[in-house]
């Protein structure tokens, strides 16, 4: 349906939280606040990104709006990094979801990227050149038919609990905590913060190492090591980050089911893990080309026809295309 936003009134509206209108208004406000020109436009938008399924649909929409405003009013001078930062602001403040910057950066910059967020104001973005087709593997994304509605609190608890652990050490963020000090003080952290925050912190520290190993494996052309590390990462998400299902509805574990079926049929043919923020939505799998149809059939049998999508990693982010 038509979305109409009056850009003469850019203050946040509580009634627009969780809506596309809120994202548009937030993007316009953020770009204007940063000193860029904004103005009206009419757009007809189509997308095959599954809405609300954990595939960064909100981030893709935010980057789209930012790219339109950059192209129409700023001669495409707004950098992809800045568009991503404004997009995170729009989602945090105007949409009401306390997300990080990763999805927005991936959508805005495009391709496969390695990001260092040590300084969130100036993230270091490195493009990793890799052609999955040369390794004869495809990226499969499966919609597990779970809804992200009413899961904002689950997402919010992850950074809250990690910050709680950081606070034990007098820091704001876990990245500021010495890992050796963390492991030495686990008994005290458990007592003050509880077990789940400690487990989530364990995931954080080890996941940073896994990301470095994944990038190194791709650069070295060791695709099997990359797959093995993807699997390790997914297992850690399930056991320690605990973002596979919500504790508010333990009988609804749609993502868990997809991962279980994938684990039963993928050994020797690929690797799978939760995709995005988790709790509901999608799972991803890197599947050998000669096994894709068998994998797709198994996941479609579980969730329904056309649930499993074979995708390609687009080398471009937000761009202006001329006929």
């Amino acid at each position: 349906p038509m979305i109409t936003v009056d850009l003469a009134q850019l203050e946040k509206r509580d009634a627009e939280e969780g809506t596309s209108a809120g994202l548009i208004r937030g993007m316009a406000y953020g770009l204007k606040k940063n000193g860029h020109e904004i103005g009206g436009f009419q757009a007809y938008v189509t997308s095959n990104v599954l809405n609300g399924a954990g595939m960064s649909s909100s981030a893709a929409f935010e980057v789209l709006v930012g790219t339109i405003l950059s192209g129409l009013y700023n001669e495409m001078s707004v950098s992809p990094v800045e568009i991503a930062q404004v997009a995170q602001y729009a989602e945090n403040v105007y949409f009401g979801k306390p997300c990080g910057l990763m999805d927005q950066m991936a959508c805005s910059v495009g391709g496969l990227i390695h990001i260092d967020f040590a300084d969130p104001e100036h993230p270091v973005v490195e493009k990793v050149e890799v052609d999955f087709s040369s390794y004869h593997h495809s990226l499969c994304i499966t919609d597990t038919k779970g809804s992200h509605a009413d899961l904002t609190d689950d997402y919010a608890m992850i950074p809250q609990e990690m910050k709680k652990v950081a606070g034990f050490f007098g820091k704001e963020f876990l990245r500021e905590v010495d890992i050796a000090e963390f492991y030495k003080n686990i008994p005290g952290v458990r007592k003050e913060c509880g077990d789940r925050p400690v487990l989530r912190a364990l995931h954080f520290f080890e996941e940073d190492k896994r990301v470095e190993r994944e990038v190194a494996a791709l650069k070295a052309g060791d695709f099997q090591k990359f797959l093995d590390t993807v699997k390790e990462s997914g297992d850690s998400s399930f056991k320690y980050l605990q973002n596979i299902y919500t504790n508010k509805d333990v009988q609804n574990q749609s993502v868990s089911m997809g991962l279980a079926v994938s684990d039963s049929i993928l050994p020797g043919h690929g690797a799978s893990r939760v995709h995005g923020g988790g709790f509901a939505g999608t799972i991803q799998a890197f599947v050998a080309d000669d096994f894709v149809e068998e994998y797709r059939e198994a996941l479609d049998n579980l969730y329904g026809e056309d649930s499993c999508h074979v995708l390609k990693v687009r080398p471009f982010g937000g761009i202006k295309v001329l006929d």
Side-chain angles (χ1 to χ4, degrees):
M2 178 75 75
I3 302 169
T4 303
V5 175
D6 182 359
L7 297 184
Q9 299 176 346
L10 294 180
E11 67 278 0
K12 180 198 171 185
R13 300 182 178 183
D14 291 342
E16 288 183 346
E17 284 195 1
T19 69
S20 299
L23 293 178
I24 296 169
R25 199 181 304 275
M27 289 300 300
Y29 174 82
L31 289 171
K32 184 176 182 179
K33 179 170 66 74
N34 286 2
H36 300 294
E37 297 294 325
I38 65 168
F41 62 87
Q42 294 183 356
Y44 180 82
V45 178
T46 65
S47 177
N48 57 7
V49 180
L50 300 174
N51 186 34
M55 289 184 67
S56 308
S57 56
S58 56
F61 185 76
E62 294 150 13
V63 168
L64 170 68
V65 173
T67 303
I68 290 172
L69 290 171
S70 177
L72 289 180
Y73 295 102
N74 298 277
E75 299 181 340
M76 289 299 289
S77 64
V78 188
S79 73
V81 170
E82 185 177 1
I83 288 176
Q85 291 170 325
V86 172
Q88 182 196 14
Y89 170 83
E91 185 148 352
N92 288 172
V93 177
Y94 280 69
F95 192 80
K97 181 178 178 180
C99 69
L101 184 58
M102 184 178 66
D103 288 5
Q104 286 78 4
M105 196 71 76
C107 290
S108 189
V109 176
L112 189 69
I113 58 176
H114 176 216
I115 315 170
D116 185 342
F117 291 109
D119 181 358
E121 295 300 316
H122 304 93
V124 179
V125 183
E126 174 195 12
K127 278 211 170 191
V128 182
E129 299 299 333
V130 58
D131 178 11
F132 287 109
S133 63
S134 68
Y135 296 107
H136 308 293
H137 278 69
S138 296
L139 173 61
C140 295
I141 298 290
T142 300
D143 180 7
T144 67
K145 308 301 183 182
S147 171
H148 275 202
D150 301 322
L151 290 177
T152 296
D153 290 345
D154 291 284
Y155 293 119
M157 285 301 295
I158 292 177
Q160 286 174 17
E161 291 184 353
M162 290 186 177
K163 287 182 178 181
K164 191 175 181 181
V165 174
F168 177 91
F169 297 93
K171 306 294 184 181
E172 185 178 1
F173 301 106
L174 280 180
R175 65 172 177 266
E176 301 166 341
V177 176
D178 180 77
I179 188 170
E181 283 296 305
F182 166 75
Y183 278 106
K184 186 169 68 176
N185 287 279
I186 282 181
V189 183
R190 288 183 66 195
K191 185 176 180 180
E192 182 170 317
C193 303
D195 283 351
R196 191 172 71 173
V198 174
L199 290 168
R200 285 175 163 171
L202 281 165
H203 171 82
F204 171 86
F205 287 121
E206 299 304 322
E207 186 70 359
D208 270 359
K209 298 176 187 177
R210 280 187 289 268
V211 169
E212 297 295 338
R213 293 204 302 271
E214 285 178 345
V215 172
L218 289 174
K219 288 181 176 179
D222 189 344
F223 197 70
Q224 186 56 52
K225 186 173 182 180
F226 168 75
L227 292 178
D228 292 342
T229 313
V230 167
K231 179 61 178 167
E232 288 178 26
S233 174
D235 288 346
S236 180
S237 287
F238 208 143
K239 292 190 292 186
Y240 306 131
L241 187 61
Q242 299 182 23
N243 67 333
I244 307 302
Y245 61 90
T246 174
N247 290 328
K248 293 180 290 189
D249 186 9
V250 296
Q251 295 306 320
N252 187 352
Q253 296 194 34
S254 190
V255 173
S256 307
M257 289 300 306
L259 294 173
V261 170
S262 297
D263 283 349
S264 71
I265 64 175
L266 272 183
H269 303 287
S272 66
R273 57 155 296 132
V274 63
H275 182 78
F279 296 111
T282 56
I283 61 173
Q284 65 171 248
F286 296 95
V287 183
D289 289 341
D290 60 5
F291 196 73
V292 165
E293 287 308 314
E294 187 169 336
Y295 180 76
R296 191 205 317 247
E297 182 178 339
L299 274 295
D300 280 356
N301 180 60
L302 178 62
Y303 296 113
E305 190 175 355
D306 296 328
S307 295
C308 181
H309 305 265
V310 182
L311 306 180
K312 300 297 180 184
V313 178
R314 189 174 112 141
F316 308 106
I319 58 173
K320 180 179 179 180
V321 181
L322 299 178
D323 291 330

